[in-house]
Amino acid sequence: YYVFHQESGAHVVLAGDVSGKGLQAAMLVSFLLGSVRTEVESPAAILEQMNTRLSGSGHGGFVTCCSARLEADGTATLASAGHLPPYLD
């Protein structure tokens, strides 16, 4: 998971998983987080950017991610790419 704090008071939260273990999986997570640090305007845009960066990488595994943008007023926007849906209580 990773949380981006925005100047507007919003928070962008990423929760995901990569297949595999060890150095290869850790490097993939590092690569993906580095690719989205500049793309935080919407959850869908974040997932689209991650998909673009990952396509053709020859990774051979899979990545899942749920992205949420939580506004200062409590409004939430979610997008998911193969990840389990968030629980709402």
Side-chain angles (χ1 to χ4, degrees):
Y1 75 92
Y2 196 82
V3 178
F4 297 92
H5 302 284
Q6 304 288 285
E7 290 182 20
S8 66
H11 303 289
V12 177
V13 181
L14 300 174
D17 194 13
V18 298
S19 61
K21 295 181 180 178
L23 184 59
Q24 183 178 2
M27 293 299 292
L28 180 58
V29 170
S30 179
F31 167 74
L32 288 172
L33 282 177
S35 74
V36 298
R37 290 196 175 159
T38 60
E39 189 74 40
V40 292
E41 60 270 350
S42 77
I46 290 170
L47 296 180
E48 183 177 356
Q49 181 70 18
M50 290 174 78
N51 187 56
T52 300
R53 302 286 175 143
L54 190 58
S55 294
S57 70
H59 169 259
F62 65 88
V63 176
T64 66
C65 186
C66 181
S67 177
R69 181 178 175 94
L70 309 170
E71 301 294 341
D73 67 2
T75 305
T77 306
L78 299 168
S80 182
H83 202 70
L84 296 172
Y87 177 77
L88 178 63
D89 183 1

